[in-house]
Amino acid sequence: MASPVAIAAQAGKLLRERALRPRLLAVRSQAGHLTPRRWLNLQEYQSKKLMSEHGVRVQRFFVASTAKEALEAAKRLNAKEIVLKAQILAGGRGKGVFDSGLKGGVHLTKDPKVVGQLAQQMIGYNLATKQTPKEGVKVNKPIEKVMVAEALDISRETYLAILMDRAHNGPVIVGSPQGGVDIEEVAASSPELIFKEQIDIFEGIKDSQAQRMAENLGFLGSLKNQAADQIKKLYHLFLKIDATQVEVNPFGETPEGQVVCFDAKINFDDNAEFRQKDIFAMDDKSENEPIENEAARYDLKYIGLDGNIACFVNGAGLAMATCDIIFLNGGRPANFLDLGGGVKEAQVYQAFKLLTSDPKVEAILVNIFGGIVNCAIIANGITKACRELELKVPLVVRLEGTNVQEAQNILKSSGLPITPAVDLEDAAKKAVASVAKK
Ligand code: GDP
Ligand code: MN
């Protein structure tokens, strides 16, 4: 799960495509080390704040970072019943388990004191759900917290999502009267219970569409108008904040006749960062490794793995191919660092600095395909970095494409102990061999 900083501007786009995402995850799980999020992800409480600012109905809530704060929040809410929810960037919390032994990331209680006791067993512990790595995700200060909300009775749980759909080239509203549960299961076992409304982005959502969806979700009488109104508000929110997905599960109704968004998951379009500064400022980078954040400062994308060969590449596709071929030759990548397109010599230097700062790294494999990238710039960056950083690990370089001849001359005449490689296979073999020798 968990998802937003992408691997590179263009690679990020690629990775968002479903076809590639599992590949990246496969590389990660092969490597046995999971750093799950790469896209802007907000916690539920942050998403709900945006929703409530746009007239979408959510429960009253506070967030807390300690058990004491949770207890105080519960008292302050002064509600008949309270729901305590662990804030991690993964779904399926209700059925999750903490390594404190506590079962369930979502708890209902009438007693504020119990809220404190439950929070005690959540904060600082890992919560494992169907969507997290096996060991779970830590509910941690200062970013990850617990949400203390006024619980409402739920008489019916439906599912509602708005997403940018590639096939339709625009927003689609997806809903099911069978909510609360795993929607993939519903889609598989009862596809007739999944309803869709394609929205024309220029015309916007029509009343008739919102009404039809409300009806398909099973909202009756006055609840139908209320649900339709909530759906329209969610659609306006979706557009306004440049979301690629707004998912509400459960989109529920209460016995008192209110339509309420009980849960919230919003994904954002990274390309809209420039005009959604406030939202991107909320980005929870606490699940990133510090080195990833450092890389992002230089417009480099870093993914940590657990082997010993650092990969210095351009493009997510090449990164994955490089990792694969290292595995095939019996080695293990320590990480990959993606240069992206319009690269400058100084970035190459920073990249090497980052790669070599990782004590796991025993060799570096450079695999650059110069399309937009000029190989000579890379070669100059490499030689400069080697000299200034007094590189102590073997360096295997494979350059191909624009200005490759000049690049090779630069490397050769540098007199530095750089091992050239003719192609990717050759590069991987040499890198793996250099580590094995040690
Ligand atoms: P998720 O498991 O991570 O998707 O977390 P949710 O926020 O969806 O909560 C899980 C389940 O807890 C929901 O499907 C509801 O059945 C239940 N739940 C959450 N909030 C409330 C509430 O205020 N009242 C009641 N009665 N149930 C709730
Ligand atoms: Mn949910």
Side-chain angles (χ1 to χ4, degrees), residues 340-368:
V343 64
K344 302 193 182 59
E345 213 180 288
Q347 274 178 306
V348 178
Y349 175 80
Q350 287 302 339
F352 265 76
K353 209 166 146 189
L354 281 172
L355 287 179
T356 50
S357 70
D358 180 346
K360 292 197 310 285
V361 170
E362 292 176 18
I364 300 177
L365 194 170
V366 175
N367 184 23
I368 299 286

Side-chain angles (χ1 to χ4, degrees), residues 308-309 329-331 362-363 392-396 417-420 426-438:
N308 52 7
I309 300 174
N329 284 283
E362 292 176 18
K392 294 191 183 63
V393 296
L395 172 62
V396 180
I418 297 171
T419 309
D426 185 36
K429 286 209 164 85
K430 285 174 173 160
V432 173
S434 76
V435 173
K437 258 187 267 164
K438 290 186 81 175

Side-chain angles (χ1 to χ4, degrees), residues 93 180 249-250 263:
R93 292 165 301 169
N249 189 26
D263 192 8

Side-chain angles (χ1 to χ4, degrees), residues 59 83 85 91-94 106 108 151-152 154 157 180 249-250 262-263:
Q59 295 139 283
V83 57
K85 306 175 84 173
R93 292 165 301 169
V106 177
L108 286 124
L152 300 172
I154 308 183
E157 302 194 341
N249 189 26
F262 284 93
D263 192 8

Side-chain angles (χ1 to χ4, degrees), residues 162-173 197-202 235 238-239 244:
I162 306 172
L163 41 113
M164 275 299 173
D165 181 43
R166 212 163 277 274
H168 157 59
N169 253 326
V172 172
I173 303 185
E197 290 290 338
Q198 298 190 346
I199 311 296
D200 181 318
I201 192 133
F202 297 108
Y235 179 75
F238 172 85
L239 283 192
T244 53

Side-chain angles (χ1 to χ4, degrees), residues 45 63-65 85-88 139-140 142-147:
Y45 76 90
V63 282
S65 307
K85 306 175 84 173
Q87 299 294 287
I88 61 164
V139 179
N140 214 354
I143 311 279
E144 292 175 298
K145 300 167 189 261
V146 291
M147 177 179 190

Side-chain angles (χ1 to χ4, degrees), residues 294-372:
E294 181 71 8
R297 280 183 47 204
Y298 299 103
D299 249 343
L300 300 163
K301 309 299 171 199
Y302 175 96
I303 303 269
L305 301 165
D306 73 351
N308 52 7
I309 300 174
C311 304
F312 182 53
V313 298
N314 62 328
L318 198 59
M320 287 184 268
T322 306
C323 289
D324 277 352
I325 204 141
I326 289 174
F327 278 120
L328 277 174
N329 284 283
R332 291 174 78 78
N335 52 43
F336 61 84
L337 200 141
D338 182 356
L339 259 188
V343 64
K344 302 193 182 59
E345 213 180 288
Q347 274 178 306
V348 178
Y349 175 80
Q350 287 302 339
F352 265 76
K353 209 166 146 189
L354 281 172
L355 287 179
T356 50
S357 70
D358 180 346
K360 292 197 310 285
V361 170
E362 292 176 18
I364 300 177
L365 194 170
V366 175
N367 184 23
I368 299 286
F369 192 87
I372 307 167

